[in-house]
Amino acid sequence: MPNNLLPSPRRTLGALLPGILLCSGVSGAALALQSLEVKVFGQAWLEALVLAILIGVTLRSVWAPGRRWKAGTDFSAKTLLEVAVLLLGASIDPETIMAAGPALVVGIAGVVASALAVSYGIGRLLGLPPRMAVLVACGNSICGNSAIAATAPVIGAHGDDVAAAIAFTAVLGVLVVLGLPLLVPLLGLTPMQYGVFAGLTVYAVPQILAATAPVGALSVQVGTLVKLLRVLMLGPVVVALALMAKPEGAAQEGGVKTRLPLRRLVPWFILGFLALAGLRAAGLIPDAALAASQTAAGVLTVLSMAALGLGVDVRMLSRAGLRVTAAVVLSLAALGAIGLGLIRLLEIM
């Protein structure tokens, strides 16, 4: 490609800057409201992470950001949040990981497998086509939109089905992040238990930060670890589906034509998270760098939550359809029940 056709750094920055500044404005408002809460009530009842989402959703409901803002908001919602998750790896306490034990790892695999079967069954009982039921099951049980996007080409899902599944999980994912912390007193969960519960329930890896931060650092660490282990189930599940299903045009000379690259099965930021966690366990990250990484992760997360809110159109709920809505909600409730069962079974304290 000729050099004059390559995007220059200045041109790229110019495309990203408006959206990033918009997200920064929403983030600033969220931080200001959090400070006001502390001054008036003595504590922040709603964290800046949650406020950024709410402000973003409210703004999006009255004004849809145009094309000028899209590149920057998409970059903030995805890339910056992935960087925040990567940096969080440095804060993972090795003792917390050891306390989880191998039983939790086996339990997570069992929860994902059970949730896949139950969710698929619910979808079929509600009359969803088989491929749509698979998309809903994978999205709910593993990692939301990422699982849907990874599964769709393997099972030969139609574009309309993919769009409907992703549209609903985009909205419901935010509602889960906002509502999940409210269950802590209702269910009598400890920070450790809530971390496991959130890690088993929240759709996307980055969203686990917003869902667990209001409860405490231990919930953040445990929730992130559990969620990452859950995401790693995507690889085996996609491989299993590829072996079982022969989508239209996928079979070729006895093999499966559709092959997903490794980066789709194990995202780069998860590998980075695990690398930093390993460095922390080996004592190779100095305290100054650890504090800086935690601060940077916090700032990037608030910025990304603002972008997430700005990208949510609550009207998408009606477009997803009643059957899809019922299937996703019931599947999520079943996943939560299975997760609570695991917590009780392992007697996690």
Side-chain angles (χ1 to χ4, degrees):
M1 179 180 294
N3 291 335
N4 60 348
L5 295 181
L6 294 173
S8 66
R10 180 179 299 178
R11 187 176 302 171
T12 300
L13 180 60
L16 297 176
L17 194 56
I20 294 177
L21 289 177
L22 175 61
C23 295
S24 299
V26 172
S27 302
L31 291 169
L33 284 177
Q34 178 180 276
S35 298
L36 182 62
E37 284 184 273
V38 173
K39 289 182 180 179
V40 175
F41 303 109
Q43 64 178 344
W45 294 101
L46 290 176
E47 303 283 338
L49 291 170
V50 177
L51 289 169
I53 295 176
L54 293 175
I55 295 172
V57 170
T58 302
L59 182 59
R60 175 68 175 81
S61 65
V62 297
W63 171 66
R67 187 175 180 180
R68 176 188 179 191
W69 316 92
K70 182 173 174 56
T73 54
D74 288 350
F75 178 79
S76 299
K78 185 176 186 298
T79 305
L80 293 186
L81 197 45
E82 291 172 346
V83 172
V85 173
L86 183 151
L87 293 175
L88 189 64
S91 67
I92 295 298
D93 187 354
E95 295 182 359
T96 301
I97 298 177
M98 296 301 295
L104 180 59
V105 177
V106 176
I108 292 170
V111 167
V112 171
S114 301
L116 281 169
V118 171
S119 296
Y120 179 79
I122 290 173
R124 295 296 289 139
L125 285 174
L126 290 173
L128 294 185
R131 289 171 180 166
M132 185 63 178
V134 170
L135 292 180
V136 171
C138 289
N140 262 14
S141 305
I142 306 175
C143 53
N145 292 348
S146 297
I148 292 171
T151 304
V154 174
I155 65 174
H158 298 293
D160 291 343
D161 290 342
V162 176
I166 288 180
F168 193 85
T169 55
V171 177
L172 189 60
V174 173
L175 297 179
V176 169
V177 167
L178 296 175
L180 213 59
L182 301 178
L183 297 179
V184 174
L186 295 177
L187 299 176
L189 299 176
T190 66
M192 180 79 168
Q193 291 172 335
Y194 176 70
V196 175
F197 181 65
L200 291 172
T201 310
V202 172
Y203 282 148
V205 175
Q207 292 175 352
I208 195 69
L209 304 181
T212 54
V215 179
L218 178 60
S219 294
V220 173
Q221 293 185 17
V222 175
T224 304
L225 174 64
V226 171
K227 180 58 188 174
L228 288 176
L229 291 173
R230 185 173 151 215
V231 169
L232 292 176
M233 290 291 294
L234 178 60
V237 168
V238 170
V239 171
L241 289 173
L243 293 175
M244 291 187 299
K246 289 187 177 181
E248 298 174 8
Q252 183 178 8
E253 297 180 358
V256 177
K257 181 179 179 181
T258 301
R259 293 183 179 180
L260 294 178
L262 179 62
R263 62 183 176 83
R264 290 285 298 276
L265 302 181
V266 185
W268 66 273
F269 63 94
I270 292 182
L271 296 177
F273 174 95
L274 295 175
L276 285 181
L279 292 175
R280 168 73 187 277
L284 298 178
I285 299 180
D287 292 340
L290 177 59
S293 68
Q294 290 176 326
T295 300
V299 172
L300 291 176
T301 302
V302 175
L303 191 67
S304 301
M305 289 303 104
L308 182 64
L310 288 167
V312 171
D313 184 357
V314 294
R315 291 168 294 187
M316 287 191 297
L317 284 174
S318 61
R319 299 174 193 165
L322 183 59
R323 289 182 179 179
V324 176
T325 300
V328 175
V329 171
L330 291 176
S331 298
L332 183 62
L335 176 61
I338 295 171
L340 287 175
L342 176 66
I343 292 172
R344 305 306 181 196
L345 178 65
L346 299 181
E347 297 182 348
I348 296 172
M349 303 302 291

